[in-house]
Amino acid sequence: MLNQLFKDQLALGAAQAFITIILALVVMLIASHQQIHIEREVVVALIRGIVQVVAAGLILVVLFQGPQWTSVFVLILMIVAASSIAARRTRDIPGAFLVSLYGISFGAGLVILLMALAGVIEPSLTSLVPVGSMIISNAMNTNAQALERFRADVRNNVGQIETGLALGALPDTMVEPYVQTAVHSSLIPKIDSLSSLGIVWIPGLMSGMILAGTNPVYAAIYQFAVIAMIFASSGLTAVVTTLLVRSRVFSPAKQLTLRPGQEKQTSKKVNPAPVRKTL
């Protein structure tokens, strides 16, 4: 129906985006009716999403006309932005941004570099940036899930951890089970994506390649290669992130600093209560 109403491609895209925004808002209202209040997060995410993706499209139009080496800077900026987003929900973990930056840089950056050198990813702007962005975004999600799970498990087992520390156990030993659980749980979506590929879902990259006239079999194989790269980068990111973060929840005196209900200290000064003079 929209194809008949809008002949201009940009106008058609705007109409399609408007309808999907309405759908997302309806889901938000249904959640609100069930006392699940995500209104602010959804509205902000929708606004940021449409603005950012349109801006990215405009930037890509310019980049695709420039030299190939600019793709490196684009991917670096994506990694920094992804690290900031992933660390946003775990700000109470000291150095969460740096942990995320190191994890995503190692996981996604190493996979992109090796696959580009091997020829799996074409070293061109039109291939390196889109495929690289998919790898980075999935590494970001895995990083955030690993941090969230690790934080939750540590907070829920404060007594057990401190008991072990009091008996002389090393901090790394006490949180090792939670490191393993965080890595495993963060990789479950990626494993499910691999096992359901071609049966439950047909990814957009494969669909786009087929629509562009690529051999469907080759498009399917290349899509598998991309999903495998996403799993590899996510796995490396989760391992590096959890190994780095486990030492940051302890003080130099080997005391656990991550606790339930922990709040950031504010710079607000509290006025002391007036002192009563006694006769």
Side-chain angles (χ1 to χ4, degrees):
M1 184 176 67
L2 290 178
N3 292 329
Q4 299 175 352
L5 294 176
F6 300 95
K7 301 301 181 182
D8 181 72
Q9 193 173 35
L10 291 179
L12 175 62
Q16 292 170 333
F18 177 76
I19 292 177
T20 54
I21 289 173
I22 297 299
L23 178 62
L25 293 177
V26 170
V27 174
M28 179 194 71
L29 293 176
I30 294 174
S32 178
H33 182 71
Q34 299 296 322
Q35 303 302 316
I36 303 173
H37 297 289
I38 53 174
E39 296 89 348
R40 183 178 180 275
E41 289 181 287
V42 171
V43 172
V44 171
L46 287 172
I47 295 174
R48 286 189 58 178
I50 187 64
V51 171
Q52 290 171 178
V53 77
V54 171
L58 295 174
I59 292 173
L60 288 176
V61 171
V62 177
L63 287 176
F64 287 163
Q65 299 176 355
Q68 301 295 332
W69 55 264
T70 55
S71 59
V72 176
F73 295 97
V74 174
L75 294 176
I76 291 175
L77 289 176
M78 287 181 177
I79 290 175
V80 173
S83 303
S84 177
I85 294 172
R88 187 173 302 160
R89 295 184 181 275
T90 53
R91 291 177 180 174
D92 51 345
I93 297 179
F97 171 74
L98 287 179
V99 167
S100 300
L101 182 62
Y102 296 149
I104 297 174
S105 297
F106 184 83
L110 181 62
V111 169
I112 293 172
L113 177 61
L114 292 178
M115 295 301 99
L117 292 176
V120 178
I121 304 176
E122 289 291 333
S124 61
L125 274 169
T126 54
S127 179
L128 191 60
V129 172
V131 176
S133 68
M134 288 189 286
I135 294 174
I136 293 170
S137 65
N138 281 274
M140 175 191 70
N141 293 332
T142 301
N143 180 87
Q145 291 169 355
L147 287 178
E148 283 276 7
R149 182 58 185 267
F150 178 78
R151 180 182 64 172
D153 285 349
V154 169
R155 282 182 166 181
N156 291 334
N157 295 276
V158 169
Q160 181 177 350
I161 294 173
E162 292 188 332
T163 299
L165 294 175
L167 295 175
L170 296 175
D172 288 353
T173 302
M174 293 308 304
V175 298
E176 183 65 26
Y178 314 125
V179 169
Q180 297 171 351
T181 303
V183 173
H184 181 264
S185 62
S186 66
L187 290 180
I188 289 176
K190 303 302 179 289
I191 297 174
D192 289 343
S193 295
L194 270 173
S195 61
S196 63
L197 183 63
I199 298 177
V200 178
W201 66 300
I202 298 178
L205 178 61
M206 176 180 170
S207 302
M209 292 176 68
I210 293 174
L211 292 174
T214 306
N215 186 305
V217 176
Y218 173 75
I221 295 174
Y222 190 76
Q223 180 64 78
F224 168 79
V226 171
I227 300 300
M229 286 188 286
I230 288 174
F231 170 78
S233 65
S234 298
L236 290 173
T237 298
V239 171
V240 172
T241 295
T242 51
L243 290 179
L244 290 176
V245 77
R246 66 181 181 180
S247 62
R248 293 179 177 267
V249 297
F250 294 97
S251 68
K254 298 182 180 180
Q255 297 173 328
L256 184 64
T257 59
L258 187 62
R259 297 176 177 277
Q262 182 180 8
E263 296 179 357
K264 292 183 178 180
Q265 296 181 349
T266 60
S267 58
K268 294 182 180 179
K269 296 182 179 180
V270 179
N271 295 326
V275 179
R276 295 182 179 179
K277 294 182 179 180
T278 57
L279 297 176

